[in-house]
Amino acid sequence: MPEADAGAGRERERERERGREREQERFREADRKGGPGHTVLVALVLAVPVTKVTYTVGGGDAVRDVLVGMEPANWPDVLLGMVITDPLLGSVLAVVVSRVVFALFAARGAVPVGGGRARSLQRLGLTAVTPIAVGVIDACFFGPWWGLGTALAAFALRQGVIEEYRTGRRGPHRSHGPEEHHDTGHRPPGWLRRAAGAEQWAALVLTVVVLPFLFFASALDGQSWTSIVTCRVTSGAGTADDRLIELGRKGNGVVGWNLDSEQVSNGLDCTAGESRFVREPWWRG
C-alpha cells in the first residue's frame, strides 16, 4: 500500500510538471507571435485608417476618390496623422508597442538571466532603452509630461515580463540545447509576484480595450487627419477659394479633397486653416 501511494504521488507530480510545461509553451508561443497585442495592432492598422477617411469625407465613392488621390505611398499618413495629433492615443500606442516588441524578443532569449551586477545592468538597459526612446518621441510631439508618463508606463509594463522569464514561468524558446534559461535561485517577494500579475492584466486591458476604443474615438471625432487649407481652385464653374483636406503636394500646389464641391481638386496659393474639424463627432450626430 505505501508503495502504491508513493507511485500515485509520483504520477501526480509528473502530471503537474507536464501541466507547467504546457503552460510555459502556451506563453512562449503567444510571446513569439507578439501575443494578443500583435493581432490587435494589425487589425487596427488595417481597419482604423479606412474608418477615419470614411467618416470624415462621408463614405461612398468619396472614400475611393480620396484614397486614389492620396496614392498608396501616402495612405499611412492617415494613421500617422491620427497618432501625432492625439496625445492620449499616441501615448497608449507607444506603451503597447513597447511591450509587444519586448515580449517578442524576450521569447527568443533576449532577457539576461543570472545574478551579479553585470547581469542586472544588462536587464536594466534592456528594459529601459525603448521606454526612454518612446518617451523622447512623445515629449517632442506632446510635451515633457506626456513623454515622462509614457516612458514610466512603458518601463513598468516590462517588469512583469522580466520577472516571469527570470523565475521560469515563461521560458525563452530554444531550438536546441538543454541549458537552463531562468534564474533557479531567484525568488521574488510576494508583492513583486503580485505586481507582475497586475502588469499582465494592465497590459491586456490597454491592448484589447483602451487602445481600440481610443483609435475608433479618434476615427469618428469628425476631425481631418491632416491639414485643412484654403486654396484657389479653378473648375468649369470658374475660380473660387475652397477648403481642401490636403492629400498630397504637386509642384507649387496641393491635391486635396474639396469640402465645398466634394471632389478631388488641385489648389494653388493655399493657406492653412486653424481648425481641422469637418463634421460633428459621431457620438453627437
Side-chain angles (χ1 to χ4, degrees), residues 82-105:
M82 294 170 62
V83 170
I84 65 176
T85 56
D86 188 329
L88 186 56
L89 172 60
S91 300
V92 172
L93 178 63
V95 171
V96 170
V97 169
S98 172
R99 189 185 187 280
V100 167
V101 171
F102 186 67
L104 176 64
F105 282 100

Side-chain angles (χ1 to χ4, degrees), residues 56-58 62-63 65-67 69-70 224-248 254-268 270 278-279:
T56 304
V57 302
V63 178
D65 293 343
V66 167
L67 293 177
M70 290 181 68
S224 170
W225 60 92
T226 186
S227 302
I228 295 181
V229 293
T230 301
C231 302
R232 179 166 51 84
V233 177
T234 301
S235 63
T239 300
D241 290 333
D242 292 341
R243 295 172 69 233
L244 276 62
I245 298 176
E246 183 177 331
L247 304 180
V254 165
V255 176
W257 176 254
N258 195 318
L259 295 171
D260 296 301
S261 61
E262 297 188 343
Q263 62 183 349
V264 175
S265 301
N266 294 312
L268 298 172
C270 300
V278 175
R279 64 178 68 244

Side-chain angles (χ1 to χ4, degrees), residues 46-57:
L46 293 175
V48 170
V50 177
T51 304
K52 178 71 168 178
V53 172
T54 300
Y55 185 74
T56 304
V57 302

Side-chain angles (χ1 to χ4, degrees), residues 46-222:
L46 293 175
V48 170
V50 177
T51 304
K52 178 71 168 178
V53 172
T54 300
Y55 185 74
T56 304
V57 302
D61 291 340
V63 178
R64 180 199 61 206
D65 293 343
V66 167
L67 293 177
V68 170
M70 290 181 68
E71 300 178 354
N74 295 326
W75 289 354
D77 290 351
V78 180
L79 188 64
L80 180 62
M82 294 170 62
V83 170
I84 65 176
T85 56
D86 188 329
L88 186 56
L89 172 60
S91 300
V92 172
L93 178 63
V95 171
V96 170
V97 169
S98 172
R99 189 185 187 280
V100 167
V101 171
F102 186 67
L104 176 64
F105 282 100
R108 300 183 179 185
V111 175
V113 298
R117 179 172 297 181
R119 290 293 189 179
S120 297
L121 289 175
Q122 285 181 338
R123 282 191 292 270
L124 178 62
L126 179 69
T127 311
V129 62
T130 303
I132 291 173
V134 297
V136 169
I137 295 171
D138 230 45
C140 291
F141 283 121
F142 309 124
W145 291 113
W146 281 104
L148 179 62
T150 299
L152 292 176
F155 182 81
L157 289 187
R158 290 180 164 212
Q159 294 306 305
V161 179
I162 285 280
E163 287 305 316
E164 292 206 326
Y165 277 94
R166 288 193 68 193
T167 55
R169 187 182 176 206
R170 298 188 186 195
H173 171 70
R174 299 288 181 179
S175 57
H176 61 277
E179 65 267 28
E180 194 73 56
H181 294 294
H182 65 273
D183 296 347
T184 55
H186 180 61
R187 295 292 181 270
W191 68 267
L192 189 55
R193 290 195 299 270
R194 290 190 294 271
E199 174 272 335
Q200 290 184 57
W201 281 105
L204 185 64
V205 170
L206 277 179
T207 302
V208 303
V209 178
V210 177
L211 186 62
F213 174 81
L214 291 176
F215 257 122
F216 280 101
S218 179
L220 302 173
D221 65 0

